[in-house]
Amino acid sequence: MVNTELVERIQALKAQRNAVILAHNYQLGEVQEIADFTGDSLELSRKATEIDAEVIVFCGVHFMAETAAILNPTRTVLIPDPTAGCPMADMITGEQLRELKSRHPEAKVICYVNSTAEVKAESDCCCTSANAPAIVRAYADAKEIIFVPDKYLGQFTMEQTGRDLILWEGFCPTHARILDTEIATARQQHPGALVMSHPECPKPIRDASDAVLSTGQMCRYVRENPAREFIVATEIDMIHRLQKEAPDKLFHPVSERCVCPNMRKNRLEKVLWSLQDMQHKVEVPEPMRTRAAAAIQNMLAVVA
Ligand code: 13P
Ligand code: SF4
């Protein structure tokens, strides 16, 4: 049940602080409901360039709040729970990327936005799950392309573009645990339902799906597709967003285990405390910020 008093206190404090609340599609329903804008990583990055509020409360994982901070050096960016990290983003360090680059000195580096500011600063361009093939195509002239850190998104991008990429062994622990047998079982239980999976899923899951989509693309897909039932092979709280997009349609999680524990750390209480205490600030030091911003802006220039 929604705590109305808590929501009212958040709204009042939000106005007082001149703040906006951005939330990723995987946030708990209660957090999505109080957000000014909910979206996928690309939509949230774009939104972060358009904000004129003084404070951004970013309900997502750390790299997402960091992206907002990189794009808004003069605004205060807060994350309700500073321990909400992304294990995939932590699978490559700046040092490891520098070492990889030294072995491929002519390569262009594309990094998935699920990466630290230090890794972005070492990259030529960012990408998200919504635009990785388009970004790789934009670097058609590159002799070699390094793609970090998600090997599954990298493999999907290679399949889509026919371009060979130098991959890193990173992956999302949440999506990596979906089993192809679970897709088969879900199809048996819900005959006629379409399966949507995220490009962070391993190949057997992607191959068993009707569509491989970023979370924002899933929203459009369910709105525009005449089908009435969908099996959702991504983080389970995505279903809250999908149900809002298409209230008359039915959504089934492929697995109850498909949970991102870090995304769940942001609770309504923590959003309130964040605004009360102006915590926890996310800041990126110069010159790393400027270099990371260039990689994000290069992405936005390709897909604007
Ligand atoms: P989207 O950009 O598709 O929302 O994905 C972000 C993410 O972290 C998926 O695990
Ligand atoms: Fe990171 Fe996976 Fe969680 Fe997305 S779902 S934030 S990739 S751990």
Side-chain angles (χ1 to χ4, degrees), residues 24-26 39-42 61 63-64 86 112-114 128-130 172 175 198 200 213-216 234 263:
H24 185 262
N25 290 328
Y26 291 164
D40 70 8
S41 303
L42 179 60
V61 289
F63 78 81
M64 295 178 174
C86 169
Y112 189 24
V113 73
N114 296 36
T128 73
S129 60
C172 163
H175 288 89
H198 195 274
E200 288 175 12
L213 304 162
S214 79
T215 64
T234 193
M263 284 282 181

Side-chain angles (χ1 to χ4, degrees), residues 16-43:
Q16 198 183 316
R17 299 277 195 216
N18 186 15
V20 288
I21 300 177
L22 303 186
H24 185 262
N25 290 328
Y26 291 164
Q27 287 292 285
L28 289 169
E30 62 181 35
V31 175
Q32 292 191 31
E33 289 304 311
I34 47 111
D36 295 288
F37 182 82
T38 309
D40 70 8
S41 303
L42 179 60
E43 292 160 345

Side-chain angles (χ1 to χ4, degrees), residues 3-263:
N3 182 334
T4 326
E5 193 205 325
L6 197 51
V7 172
E8 282 170 4
R9 287 170 68 194
I10 292 171
Q11 301 295 11
L13 210 49
K14 200 179 73 163
Q16 198 183 316
R17 299 277 195 216
N18 186 15
V20 288
I21 300 177
L22 303 186
H24 185 262
N25 290 328
Y26 291 164
Q27 287 292 285
L28 289 169
E30 62 181 35
V31 175
Q32 292 191 31
E33 289 304 311
I34 47 111
D36 295 288
F37 182 82
T38 309
D40 70 8
S41 303
L42 179 60
E43 292 160 345
L44 291 167
S45 305
R46 279 213 193 97
K47 201 72 194 169
T49 63
E50 297 161 5
I51 303 258
D52 55 14
E54 281 164 54
V55 177
I56 301 171
V57 181
F58 204 109
C59 300
V61 289
H62 191 267
F63 78 81
M64 295 178 174
E66 204 172 51
T67 301
I70 289 166
L71 295 170
N72 288 285
T74 60
R75 308 196 196 286
T76 303
V77 177
L78 305 174
I79 187 165
D81 188 320
T83 70
C86 169
M88 182 210 287
D90 295 331
M91 285 181 191
I92 185 165
T93 63
E95 185 55 43
Q96 287 171 314
L97 180 53
R98 282 189 286 278
E99 197 279 324
L100 181 61
K101 282 165 67 173
S102 73
R103 286 191 277 123
H104 300 276
E106 292 193 66
K108 293 289 179 191
V109 180
I110 298 176
C111 76
Y112 189 24
V113 73
N114 296 36
S115 54
T116 61
E118 191 185 4
V119 165
K120 288 184 177 74
E122 290 292 337
S123 303
D124 294 289
C125 191
C126 287
C127 73
T128 73
S129 60
N131 63 22
I135 300 295
V136 164
R137 285 189 196 102
Y139 283 85
D141 293 342
K143 268 188 123 173
E144 287 185 300
I145 300 178
I146 292 173
F147 188 99
V148 296
D150 186 4
K151 65 175 172 184
Y152 294 129
L153 177 64
Q155 287 163 3
F156 171 72
T157 306
M158 290 207 289
E159 289 162 16
Q160 295 293 303
T161 60
R163 174 82 203 234
D164 220 15
L165 302 172
I166 300 162
L167 299 182
W168 188 256
E169 273 297 315
F171 63 93
C172 163
T174 299
H175 288 89
R177 285 193 201 138
I178 301 172
L179 302 172
D180 49 357
T181 50
E182 289 175 314
I183 303 234
T185 306
R187 279 203 194 271
Q188 272 168 8
Q189 286 170 345
H190 310 289
L194 294 179
V195 177
M196 304 185 290
S197 68
H198 195 274
E200 288 175 12
C201 291
K203 184 169 170 58
I205 307 303
R206 299 195 311 269
D207 286 352
S209 305
D210 295 293
V212 181
L213 304 162
S214 79
T215 64
Q217 290 167 340
M218 285 183 190
C219 292
R220 283 186 288 284
Y221 188 72
V222 303
R223 276 199 313 262
E224 289 163 13
N225 197 296
R228 302 199 55 78
E229 262 186 83
F230 299 85
I231 294 160
V232 183
T234 193
E235 214 279 340
I236 202 161
D237 291 301
M238 181 67 205
I239 291 186
H240 181 89
R241 176 70 204 270
L242 293 172
Q243 202 68 74
K244 263 192 108 166
E245 291 293 327
D248 54 335
K249 299 195 177 185
L250 277 176
F251 301 97
H252 311 287
V254 71
S255 156
E256 297 290 339
R257 286 179 293 104
C258 198
V259 166
C260 175
N262 285 289
M263 284 282 181

